[in-house]
Amino acid sequence: MERMGQVVHDLWKVLVVGLLSAAAAALVLFAGGFLLGGAGISSGLEAAKDGLLLVGSLGLFILAGMLITKGKKPERFRADNGWRNHFQVIGPKTVIGILSIAFLLAASLADGILLLL
């Protein structure tokens, strides 16, 4: 039962970090599209959506490469790399997958706002 709590805690932590980093990237991309696009808010949202989709899909591509090369083998961690200081149970494949999903969720939000305009 304790392990399930650690899994939920790790997944929640990765999702929050992913959404915050996606929001920061979206703000930077929105500002660039808004200033350089010339069409106002819609060009900023379009730039943010496109950039977030690119980052999310590249993350999923990296995850697919990790799964193909290593398969289902568990990752081996050294005690001195500090990974277990941040994540007690989950491994790098899960982290990359959740981060990619967070970026794709932010891109979906930007696309939804764009459709409402």
PDB file of all heavy atoms in Angstrom, residues 76-115:
ATOM      1  N   ARG A  76      18.624   0.602 -14.763  1.00  0.00           N
ATOM      2  CA  ARG A  76      19.590   0.434 -13.683  1.00  0.00           C
ATOM      3  C   ARG A  76      20.065   1.812 -13.253  1.00  0.00           C
ATOM      4  O   ARG A  76      20.485   2.620 -14.065  1.00  0.00           O
ATOM      5  CB  ARG A  76      20.769  -0.403 -14.158  1.00  0.00           C
ATOM      6  CG  ARG A  76      20.372  -1.816 -14.447  1.00  0.00           C
ATOM      7  CD  ARG A  76      21.578  -2.672 -14.754  1.00  0.00           C
ATOM      8  NE  ARG A  76      21.149  -4.023 -15.018  1.00  0.00           N
ATOM      9  CZ  ARG A  76      20.942  -4.519 -16.212  1.00  0.00           C
ATOM     10  NH1 ARG A  76      21.123  -3.760 -17.275  1.00  0.00           N
ATOM     11  NH2 ARG A  76      20.548  -5.755 -16.365  1.00  0.00           N
ATOM     12  N   PHE A  77      19.994   2.062 -11.969  1.00  0.00           N
ATOM     13  CA  PHE A  77      20.383   3.359 -11.434  1.00  0.00           C
ATOM     14  C   PHE A  77      21.578   3.194 -10.527  1.00  0.00           C
ATOM     15  O   PHE A  77      21.686   2.227  -9.785  1.00  0.00           O
ATOM     16  CB  PHE A  77      19.237   3.966 -10.628  1.00  0.00           C
ATOM     17  CG  PHE A  77      18.012   4.224 -11.438  1.00  0.00           C
ATOM     18  CD1 PHE A  77      16.907   3.408 -11.336  1.00  0.00           C
ATOM     19  CD2 PHE A  77      17.972   5.287 -12.306  1.00  0.00           C
ATOM     20  CE1 PHE A  77      15.789   3.640 -12.079  1.00  0.00           C
ATOM     21  CE2 PHE A  77      16.854   5.533 -13.062  1.00  0.00           C
ATOM     22  CZ  PHE A  77      15.751   4.706 -12.946  1.00  0.00           C
ATOM     23  N   ARG A  78      22.434   4.170 -10.598  1.00  0.00           N
ATOM     24  CA  ARG A  78      23.526   4.219  -9.646  1.00  0.00           C
ATOM     25  C   ARG A  78      23.050   4.979  -8.423  1.00  0.00           C
ATOM     26  O   ARG A  78      22.146   5.803  -8.490  1.00  0.00           O
ATOM     27  CB  ARG A  78      24.723   4.930 -10.253  1.00  0.00           C
ATOM     28  CG  ARG A  78      25.318   4.173 -11.427  1.00  0.00           C
ATOM     29  CD  ARG A  78      26.512   4.883 -11.951  1.00  0.00           C
ATOM     30  NE  ARG A  78      26.236   6.314 -11.991  1.00  0.00           N
ATOM     31  CZ  ARG A  78      26.969   7.187 -12.619  1.00  0.00           C
ATOM     32  NH1 ARG A  78      28.039   6.813 -13.243  1.00  0.00           N
ATOM     33  NH2 ARG A  78      26.651   8.471 -12.621  1.00  0.00           N
ATOM     34  N   ALA A  79      23.639   4.721  -7.328  1.00  0.00           N
ATOM     35  CA  ALA A  79      23.210   5.363  -6.081  1.00  0.00           C
ATOM     36  C   ALA A  79      23.580   6.843  -6.044  1.00  0.00           C
ATOM     37  O   ALA A  79      22.956   7.624  -5.347  1.00  0.00           O
ATOM     38  CB  ALA A  79      23.837   4.644  -4.889  1.00  0.00           C
ATOM     39  N   ASP A  80      24.589   7.254  -6.825  1.00  0.00           N
ATOM     40  CA  ASP A  80      25.069   8.621  -6.724  1.00  0.00           C
ATOM     41  C   ASP A  80      24.495   9.564  -7.775  1.00  0.00           C
ATOM     42  O   ASP A  80      24.864  10.723  -7.816  1.00  0.00           O
ATOM     43  CB  ASP A  80      26.599   8.645  -6.810  1.00  0.00           C
ATOM     44  CG  ASP A  80      27.124   8.079  -8.121  1.00  0.00           C
ATOM     45  OD1 ASP A  80      26.364   7.396  -8.815  1.00  0.00           O
ATOM     46  OD2 ASP A  80      28.300   8.318  -8.424  1.00  0.00           O
ATOM     47  N   ASN A  81      23.570   9.110  -8.620  1.00  0.00           N
ATOM     48  CA  ASN A  81      23.091  10.008  -9.664  1.00  0.00           C
ATOM     49  C   ASN A  81      21.951  10.910  -9.211  1.00  0.00           C
ATOM     50  O   ASN A  81      21.576  11.822  -9.918  1.00  0.00           O
ATOM     51  CB  ASN A  81      22.700   9.232 -10.921  1.00  0.00           C
ATOM     52  CG  ASN A  81      21.456   8.401 -10.750  1.00  0.00           C
ATOM     53  OD1 ASN A  81      20.870   8.333  -9.682  1.00  0.00           O
ATOM     54  ND2 ASN A  81      21.066   7.749 -11.830  1.00  0.00           N
ATOM     55  N   GLY A  82      21.344  10.654  -8.076  1.00  0.00           N
ATOM     56  CA  GLY A  82      20.336  11.544  -7.524  1.00  0.00           C
ATOM     57  C   GLY A  82      18.928  11.325  -8.049  1.00  0.00           C
ATOM     58  O   GLY A  82      18.017  12.062  -7.685  1.00  0.00           O
ATOM     59  N   TRP A  83      18.724  10.351  -8.921  1.00  0.00           N
ATOM     60  CA  TRP A  83      17.388  10.111  -9.479  1.00  0.00           C
ATOM     61  C   TRP A  83      16.395   9.764  -8.378  1.00  0.00           C
ATOM     62  O   TRP A  83      15.275  10.256  -8.352  1.00  0.00           O
ATOM     63  CB  TRP A  83      17.455   8.988 -10.511  1.00  0.00           C
ATOM     64  CG  TRP A  83      16.128   8.692 -11.130  1.00  0.00           C
ATOM     65  CD1 TRP A  83      15.230   7.768 -10.726  1.00  0.00           C
ATOM     66  CD2 TRP A  83      15.546   9.352 -12.245  1.00  0.00           C
ATOM     67  NE1 TRP A  83      14.119   7.794 -11.527  1.00  0.00           N
ATOM     68  CE2 TRP A  83      14.292   8.771 -12.471  1.00  0.00           C
ATOM     69  CE3 TRP A  83      15.968  10.389 -13.084  1.00  0.00           C
ATOM     70  CZ2 TRP A  83      13.453   9.168 -13.485  1.00  0.00           C
ATOM     71  CZ3 TRP A  83      15.122  10.774 -14.105  1.00  0.00           C
ATOM     72  CH2 TRP A  83      13.882  10.176 -14.294  1.00  0.00           C
ATOM     73  N   ARG A  84      16.810   8.914  -7.462  1.00  0.00           N
ATOM     74  CA  ARG A  84      15.910   8.476  -6.395  1.00  0.00           C
ATOM     75  C   ARG A  84      15.624   9.575  -5.378  1.00  0.00           C
ATOM     76  O   ARG A  84      14.729   9.434  -4.563  1.00  0.00           O
ATOM     77  CB  ARG A  84      16.465   7.239  -5.688  1.00  0.00           C
ATOM     78  CG  ARG A  84      16.474   6.026  -6.581  1.00  0.00           C
ATOM     79  CD  ARG A  84      15.070   5.573  -6.892  1.00  0.00           C
ATOM     80  NE  ARG A  84      15.111   4.490  -7.864  1.00  0.00           N
ATOM     81  CZ  ARG A  84      14.186   4.298  -8.776  1.00  0.00           C
ATOM     82  NH1 ARG A  84      13.161   5.096  -8.861  1.00  0.00           N
ATOM     83  NH2 ARG A  84      14.279   3.312  -9.615  1.00  0.00           N
ATOM     84  N   ASN A  85      16.378  10.664  -5.417  1.00  0.00           N
ATOM     85  CA  ASN A  85      16.038  11.801  -4.562  1.00  0.00           C
ATOM     86  C   ASN A  85      14.751  12.465  -5.028  1.00  0.00           C
ATOM     87  O   ASN A  85      14.009  13.028  -4.236  1.00  0.00           O
ATOM     88  CB  ASN A  85      17.159  12.834  -4.555  1.00  0.00           C
ATOM     89  CG  ASN A  85      18.399  12.332  -3.868  1.00  0.00           C
ATOM     90  OD1 ASN A  85      18.341  11.410  -3.061  1.00  0.00           O
ATOM     91  ND2 ASN A  85      19.528  12.928  -4.192  1.00  0.00           N
ATOM     92  N   HIS A  86      14.470  12.412  -6.328  1.00  0.00           N
ATOM     93  CA  HIS A  86      13.294  13.056  -6.886  1.00  0.00           C
ATOM     94  C   HIS A  86      12.149  12.078  -7.107  1.00  0.00           C
ATOM     95  O   HIS A  86      10.985  12.431  -6.912  1.00  0.00           O
ATOM     96  CB  HIS A  86      13.645  13.741  -8.209  1.00  0.00           C
ATOM     97  CG  HIS A  86      14.653  14.827  -8.055  1.00  0.00           C
ATOM     98  ND1 HIS A  86      14.361  16.030  -7.468  1.00  0.00           N
ATOM     99  CD2 HIS A  86      15.958  14.875  -8.391  1.00  0.00           C
ATOM    100  CE1 HIS A  86      15.444  16.784  -7.460  1.00  0.00           C
ATOM    101  NE2 HIS A  86      16.433  16.106  -8.020  1.00  0.00           N
ATOM    102  N   PHE A  87      12.453  10.876  -7.557  1.00  0.00           N
ATOM    103  CA  PHE A  87      11.423   9.893  -7.876  1.00  0.00           C
ATOM    104  C   PHE A  87      11.740   8.587  -7.170  1.00  0.00           C
ATOM    105  O   PHE A  87      12.766   7.971  -7.431  1.00  0.00           O
ATOM    106  CB  PHE A  87      11.330   9.671  -9.393  1.00  0.00           C
ATOM    107  CG  PHE A  87      11.111  10.939 -10.155  1.00  0.00           C
ATOM    108  CD1 PHE A  87      12.106  11.466 -10.950  1.00  0.00           C
ATOM    109  CD2 PHE A  87       9.913  11.613 -10.067  1.00  0.00           C
ATOM    110  CE1 PHE A  87      11.909  12.634 -11.648  1.00  0.00           C
ATOM    111  CE2 PHE A  87       9.702  12.786 -10.757  1.00  0.00           C
ATOM    112  CZ  PHE A  87      10.700  13.303 -11.551  1.00  0.00           C
ATOM    113  N   GLN A  88      10.835   8.158  -6.296  1.00  0.00           N
ATOM    114  CA  GLN A  88      11.073   6.964  -5.489  1.00  0.00           C
ATOM    115  C   GLN A  88      10.827   5.676  -6.266  1.00  0.00           C
ATOM    116  O   GLN A  88      11.516   4.695  -6.055  1.00  0.00           O
ATOM    117  CB  GLN A  88      10.161   6.990  -4.253  1.00  0.00           C
ATOM    118  CG  GLN A  88      10.384   8.178  -3.347  1.00  0.00           C
ATOM    119  CD  GLN A  88      11.766   8.178  -2.736  1.00  0.00           C
ATOM    120  OE1 GLN A  88      12.265   7.137  -2.326  1.00  0.00           O
ATOM    121  NE2 GLN A  88      12.389   9.333  -2.696  1.00  0.00           N
ATOM    122  N   VAL A  89       9.840   5.685  -7.170  1.00  0.00           N
ATOM    123  CA  VAL A  89       9.423   4.432  -7.790  1.00  0.00           C
ATOM    124  C   VAL A  89       9.557   4.454  -9.307  1.00  0.00           C
ATOM    125  O   VAL A  89      10.049   3.495  -9.896  1.00  0.00           O
ATOM    126  CB  VAL A  89       7.953   4.118  -7.403  1.00  0.00           C
ATOM    127  CG1 VAL A  89       7.487   2.835  -8.044  1.00  0.00           C
ATOM    128  CG2 VAL A  89       7.804   4.047  -5.894  1.00  0.00           C
ATOM    129  N   ILE A  90       9.136   5.523  -9.964  1.00  0.00           N
ATOM    130  CA  ILE A  90       9.050   5.522 -11.421  1.00  0.00           C
ATOM    131  C   ILE A  90      10.416   5.739 -12.060  1.00  0.00           C
ATOM    132  O   ILE A  90      11.324   6.287 -11.449  1.00  0.00           O
ATOM    133  CB  ILE A  90       8.039   6.570 -11.931  1.00  0.00           C
ATOM    134  CG1 ILE A  90       8.459   7.968 -11.543  1.00  0.00           C
ATOM    135  CG2 ILE A  90       6.655   6.260 -11.405  1.00  0.00           C
ATOM    136  CD1 ILE A  90       7.563   9.053 -12.099  1.00  0.00           C
ATOM    137  N   GLY A  91      10.532   5.308 -13.315  1.00  0.00           N
ATOM    138  CA  GLY A  91      11.791   5.405 -14.044  1.00  0.00           C
ATOM    139  C   GLY A  91      11.750   6.479 -15.118  1.00  0.00           C
ATOM    140  O   GLY A  91      10.745   7.178 -15.293  1.00  0.00           O
ATOM    141  N   PRO A  92      12.830   6.616 -15.867  1.00  0.00           N
ATOM    142  CA  PRO A  92      12.924   7.668 -16.888  1.00  0.00           C
ATOM    143  C   PRO A  92      11.906   7.527 -18.014  1.00  0.00           C
ATOM    144  O   PRO A  92      11.437   8.524 -18.549  1.00  0.00           O
ATOM    145  CB  PRO A  92      14.339   7.534 -17.434  1.00  0.00           C
ATOM    146  CG  PRO A  92      15.073   6.670 -16.521  1.00  0.00           C
ATOM    147  CD  PRO A  92      14.099   5.907 -15.717  1.00  0.00           C
ATOM    148  N   LYS A  93      11.547   6.311 -18.376  1.00  0.00           N
ATOM    149  CA  LYS A  93      10.580   6.133 -19.457  1.00  0.00           C
ATOM    150  C   LYS A  93       9.224   6.700 -19.061  1.00  0.00           C
ATOM    151  O   LYS A  93       8.562   7.378 -19.854  1.00  0.00           O
ATOM    152  CB  LYS A  93      10.445   4.659 -19.815  1.00  0.00           C
ATOM    153  CG  LYS A  93      11.692   4.068 -20.425  1.00  0.00           C
ATOM    154  CD  LYS A  93      11.523   2.583 -20.630  1.00  0.00           C
ATOM    155  CE  LYS A  93      12.848   1.949 -20.970  1.00  0.00           C
ATOM    156  NZ  LYS A  93      12.781   0.503 -20.993  1.00  0.00           N
ATOM    157  N   THR A  94       8.817   6.446 -17.848  1.00  0.00           N
ATOM    158  CA  THR A  94       7.543   6.977 -17.359  1.00  0.00           C
ATOM    159  C   THR A  94       7.584   8.490 -17.271  1.00  0.00           C
ATOM    160  O   THR A  94       6.616   9.171 -17.632  1.00  0.00           O
ATOM    161  CB  THR A  94       7.216   6.368 -15.985  1.00  0.00           C
ATOM    162  OG1 THR A  94       7.279   4.956 -16.067  1.00  0.00           O
ATOM    163  CG2 THR A  94       5.842   6.791 -15.518  1.00  0.00           C
ATOM    164  N   VAL A  95       8.697   9.027 -16.828  1.00  0.00           N
ATOM    165  CA  VAL A  95       8.829  10.483 -16.716  1.00  0.00           C
ATOM    166  C   VAL A  95       8.743  11.139 -18.086  1.00  0.00           C
ATOM    167  O   VAL A  95       8.012  12.125 -18.278  1.00  0.00           O
ATOM    168  CB  VAL A  95      10.152  10.853 -16.005  1.00  0.00           C
ATOM    169  CG1 VAL A  95      10.418  12.340 -16.084  1.00  0.00           C
ATOM    170  CG2 VAL A  95      10.116  10.406 -14.563  1.00  0.00           C
ATOM    171  N   ILE A  96       9.441  10.605 -19.070  1.00  0.00           N
ATOM    172  CA  ILE A  96       9.396  11.176 -20.418  1.00  0.00           C
ATOM    173  C   ILE A  96       7.989  11.063 -21.001  1.00  0.00           C
ATOM    174  O   ILE A  96       7.492  11.984 -21.645  1.00  0.00           O
ATOM    175  CB  ILE A  96      10.447  10.504 -21.320  1.00  0.00           C
ATOM    176  CG1 ILE A  96      11.845  10.921 -20.875  1.00  0.00           C
ATOM    177  CG2 ILE A  96      10.231  10.880 -22.781  1.00  0.00           C
ATOM    178  CD1 ILE A  96      12.967  10.211 -21.578  1.00  0.00           C
ATOM    179  N   GLY A  97       7.316   9.959 -20.746  1.00  0.00           N
ATOM    180  CA  GLY A  97       5.957   9.792 -21.235  1.00  0.00           C
ATOM    181  C   GLY A  97       4.990  10.794 -20.621  1.00  0.00           C
ATOM    182  O   GLY A  97       4.186  11.415 -21.325  1.00  0.00           O
ATOM    183  N   ILE A  98       5.062  10.984 -19.320  1.00  0.00           N
ATOM    184  CA  ILE A  98       4.164  11.930 -18.637  1.00  0.00           C
ATOM    185  C   ILE A  98       4.481  13.360 -19.057  1.00  0.00           C
ATOM    186  O   ILE A  98       3.566  14.171 -19.264  1.00  0.00           O
ATOM    187  CB  ILE A  98       4.274  11.779 -17.108  1.00  0.00           C
ATOM    188  CG1 ILE A  98       3.864  10.377 -16.677  1.00  0.00           C
ATOM    189  CG2 ILE A  98       3.438  12.822 -16.393  1.00  0.00           C
ATOM    190  CD1 ILE A  98       2.418  10.054 -16.807  1.00  0.00           C
ATOM    191  N   LEU A  99       5.748  13.704 -19.195  1.00  0.00           N
ATOM    192  CA  LEU A  99       6.106  15.051 -19.647  1.00  0.00           C
ATOM    193  C   LEU A  99       5.589  15.317 -21.057  1.00  0.00           C
ATOM    194  O   LEU A  99       5.070  16.402 -21.344  1.00  0.00           O
ATOM    195  CB  LEU A  99       7.623  15.244 -19.606  1.00  0.00           C
ATOM    196  CG  LEU A  99       8.261  15.369 -18.230  1.00  0.00           C
ATOM    197  CD1 LEU A  99       9.779  15.450 -18.357  1.00  0.00           C
ATOM    198  CD2 LEU A  99       7.733  16.569 -17.484  1.00  0.00           C
ATOM    199  N   SER A 100       5.696  14.331 -21.929  1.00  0.00           N
ATOM    200  CA  SER A 100       5.182  14.485 -23.293  1.00  0.00           C
ATOM    201  C   SER A 100       3.668  14.661 -23.290  1.00  0.00           C
ATOM    202  O   SER A 100       3.122  15.495 -24.024  1.00  0.00           O
ATOM    203  CB  SER A 100       5.556  13.276 -24.146  1.00  0.00           C
ATOM    204  OG  SER A 100       6.948  13.150 -24.234  1.00  0.00           O
ATOM    205  N   ILE A 101       2.988  13.901 -22.458  1.00  0.00           N
ATOM    206  CA  ILE A 101       1.536  14.034 -22.348  1.00  0.00           C
ATOM    207  C   ILE A 101       1.157  15.412 -21.820  1.00  0.00           C
ATOM    208  O   ILE A 101       0.183  16.017 -22.283  1.00  0.00           O
ATOM    209  CB  ILE A 101       0.974  12.906 -21.464  1.00  0.00           C
ATOM    210  CG1 ILE A 101       1.065  11.581 -22.214  1.00  0.00           C
ATOM    211  CG2 ILE A 101      -0.464  13.194 -21.046  1.00  0.00           C
ATOM    212  CD1 ILE A 101       0.761  10.375 -21.373  1.00  0.00           C
ATOM    213  N   ALA A 102       1.928  15.947 -20.869  1.00  0.00           N
ATOM    214  CA  ALA A 102       1.646  17.280 -20.343  1.00  0.00           C
ATOM    215  C   ALA A 102       1.784  18.340 -21.433  1.00  0.00           C
ATOM    216  O   ALA A 102       0.960  19.260 -21.534  1.00  0.00           O
ATOM    217  CB  ALA A 102       2.578  17.593 -19.166  1.00  0.00           C
ATOM    218  N   PHE A 103       2.809  18.204 -22.268  1.00  0.00           N
ATOM    219  CA  PHE A 103       2.981  19.160 -23.362  1.00  0.00           C
ATOM    220  C   PHE A 103       1.844  19.037 -24.379  1.00  0.00           C
ATOM    221  O   PHE A 103       1.360  20.045 -24.902  1.00  0.00           O
ATOM    222  CB  PHE A 103       4.341  18.959 -24.041  1.00  0.00           C
ATOM    223  CG  PHE A 103       5.441  19.747 -23.409  1.00  0.00           C
ATOM    224  CD1 PHE A 103       6.081  19.290 -22.276  1.00  0.00           C
ATOM    225  CD2 PHE A 103       5.842  20.958 -23.935  1.00  0.00           C
ATOM    226  CE1 PHE A 103       7.091  20.023 -21.685  1.00  0.00           C
ATOM    227  CE2 PHE A 103       6.845  21.702 -23.360  1.00  0.00           C
ATOM    228  CZ  PHE A 103       7.477  21.227 -22.218  1.00  0.00           C
ATOM    229  N   LEU A 104       1.403  17.823 -24.648  1.00  0.00           N
ATOM    230  CA  LEU A 104       0.303  17.640 -25.584  1.00  0.00           C
ATOM    231  C   LEU A 104      -1.014  18.152 -25.008  1.00  0.00           C
ATOM    232  O   LEU A 104      -1.856  18.674 -25.745  1.00  0.00           O
ATOM    233  CB  LEU A 104       0.191  16.164 -25.992  1.00  0.00           C
ATOM    234  CG  LEU A 104       1.373  15.639 -26.803  1.00  0.00           C
ATOM    235  CD1 LEU A 104       1.217  14.150 -27.061  1.00  0.00           C
ATOM    236  CD2 LEU A 104       1.538  16.397 -28.100  1.00  0.00           C
ATOM    237  N   LEU A 105      -1.209  18.036 -23.695  1.00  0.00           N
ATOM    238  CA  LEU A 105      -2.393  18.612 -23.060  1.00  0.00           C
ATOM    239  C   LEU A 105      -2.395  20.133 -23.169  1.00  0.00           C
ATOM    240  O   LEU A 105      -3.440  20.749 -23.433  1.00  0.00           O
ATOM    241  CB  LEU A 105      -2.466  18.190 -21.594  1.00  0.00           C
ATOM    242  CG  LEU A 105      -2.917  16.772 -21.303  1.00  0.00           C
ATOM    243  CD1 LEU A 105      -2.784  16.471 -19.817  1.00  0.00           C
ATOM    244  CD2 LEU A 105      -4.345  16.561 -21.759  1.00  0.00           C
ATOM    245  N   ALA A 106      -1.240  20.745 -22.964  1.00  0.00           N
ATOM    246  CA  ALA A 106      -1.152  22.201 -23.092  1.00  0.00           C
ATOM    247  C   ALA A 106      -1.399  22.634 -24.538  1.00  0.00           C
ATOM    248  O   ALA A 106      -2.047  23.662 -24.781  1.00  0.00           O
ATOM    249  CB  ALA A 106       0.216  22.692 -22.602  1.00  0.00           C
ATOM    250  N   ALA A 107      -0.917  21.853 -25.502  1.00  0.00           N
ATOM    251  CA  ALA A 107      -1.168  22.165 -26.907  1.00  0.00           C
ATOM    252  C   ALA A 107      -2.652  22.032 -27.228  1.00  0.00           C
ATOM    253  O   ALA A 107      -3.209  22.828 -27.996  1.00  0.00           O
ATOM    254  CB  ALA A 107      -0.346  21.247 -27.811  1.00  0.00           C
ATOM    255  N   SER A 108      -3.317  21.051 -26.639  1.00  0.00           N
ATOM    256  CA  SER A 108      -4.751  20.889 -26.842  1.00  0.00           C
ATOM    257  C   SER A 108      -5.522  22.064 -26.262  1.00  0.00           C
ATOM    258  O   SER A 108      -6.510  22.523 -26.848  1.00  0.00           O
ATOM    259  CB  SER A 108      -5.237  19.592 -26.194  1.00  0.00           C
ATOM    260  OG  SER A 108      -4.608  18.492 -26.769  1.00  0.00           O
ATOM    261  N   LEU A 109      -5.078  22.555 -25.121  1.00  0.00           N
ATOM    262  CA  LEU A 109      -5.714  23.731 -24.523  1.00  0.00           C
ATOM    263  C   LEU A 109      -5.548  24.952 -25.420  1.00  0.00           C
ATOM    264  O   LEU A 109      -6.503  25.715 -25.639  1.00  0.00           O
ATOM    265  CB  LEU A 109      -5.128  23.995 -23.136  1.00  0.00           C
ATOM    266  CG  LEU A 109      -5.677  25.204 -22.394  1.00  0.00           C
ATOM    267  CD1 LEU A 109      -7.143  24.995 -22.040  1.00  0.00           C
ATOM    268  CD2 LEU A 109      -4.855  25.469 -21.156  1.00  0.00           C
ATOM    269  N   ALA A 110      -4.354  25.150 -25.950  1.00  0.00           N
ATOM    270  CA  ALA A 110      -4.120  26.277 -26.861  1.00  0.00           C
ATOM    271  C   ALA A 110      -4.967  26.133 -28.122  1.00  0.00           C
ATOM    272  O   ALA A 110      -5.510  27.130 -28.632  1.00  0.00           O
ATOM    273  CB  ALA A 110      -2.636  26.363 -27.222  1.00  0.00           C
ATOM    274  N   ASP A 111      -5.121  24.927 -28.642  1.00  0.00           N
ATOM    275  CA  ASP A 111      -5.938  24.710 -29.815  1.00  0.00           C
ATOM    276  C   ASP A 111      -7.419  24.965 -29.512  1.00  0.00           C
ATOM    277  O   ASP A 111      -8.142  25.531 -30.343  1.00  0.00           O
ATOM    278  CB  ASP A 111      -5.746  23.285 -30.334  1.00  0.00           C
ATOM    279  CG  ASP A 111      -6.375  23.070 -31.700  1.00  0.00           C
ATOM    280  OD1 ASP A 111      -6.309  23.994 -32.538  1.00  0.00           O
ATOM    281  OD2 ASP A 111      -6.920  21.981 -31.921  1.00  0.00           O
ATOM    282  N   GLY A 112      -7.866  24.568 -28.343  1.00  0.00           N
ATOM    283  CA  GLY A 112      -9.245  24.827 -27.951  1.00  0.00           C
ATOM    284  C   GLY A 112      -9.541  26.304 -27.828  1.00  0.00           C
ATOM    285  O   GLY A 112     -10.608  26.782 -28.277  1.00  0.00           O
ATOM    286  N   ILE A 113      -8.618  27.046 -27.257  1.00  0.00           N
ATOM    287  CA  ILE A 113      -8.781  28.509 -27.165  1.00  0.00           C
ATOM    288  C   ILE A 113      -8.776  29.121 -28.552  1.00  0.00           C
ATOM    289  O   ILE A 113      -9.555  30.024 -28.848  1.00  0.00           O
ATOM    290  CB  ILE A 113      -7.678  29.122 -26.263  1.00  0.00           C
ATOM    291  CG1 ILE A 113      -7.847  28.640 -24.824  1.00  0.00           C
ATOM    292  CG2 ILE A 113      -7.728  30.633 -26.328  1.00  0.00           C
ATOM    293  CD1 ILE A 113      -6.691  29.005 -23.924  1.00  0.00           C
ATOM    294  N   LEU A 114      -7.924  28.610 -29.409  1.00  0.00           N
ATOM    295  CA  LEU A 114      -7.843  29.113 -30.774  1.00  0.00           C
ATOM    296  C   LEU A 114      -9.138  28.867 -31.543  1.00  0.00           C
ATOM    297  O   LEU A 114      -9.575  29.713 -32.335  1.00  0.00           O
ATOM    298  CB  LEU A 114      -6.659  28.462 -31.495  1.00  0.00           C
ATOM    299  CG  LEU A 114      -6.229  29.038 -32.837  1.00  0.00           C
ATOM    300  CD1 LEU A 114      -5.815  30.486 -32.666  1.00  0.00           C
ATOM    301  CD2 LEU A 114      -5.094  28.227 -33.402  1.00  0.00           C
ATOM    302  N   LEU A 115      -9.778  27.741 -31.298  1.00  0.00           N
ATOM    303  CA  LEU A 115     -11.048  27.441 -31.956  1.00  0.00           C
ATOM    304  C   LEU A 115     -12.180  28.344 -31.449  1.00  0.00           C
ATOM    305  O   LEU A 115     -13.121  28.630 -32.188  1.00  0.00           O
ATOM    306  CB  LEU A 115     -11.422  25.976 -31.739  1.00  0.00           C
ATOM    307  CG  LEU A 115     -10.645  24.965 -32.560  1.00  0.00           C
ATOM    308  CD1 LEU A 115     -11.024  23.546 -32.151  1.00  0.00           C
ATOM    309  CD2 LEU A 115     -10.877  25.171 -34.041  1.00  0.00           C
TER     310      LEU A 115
END
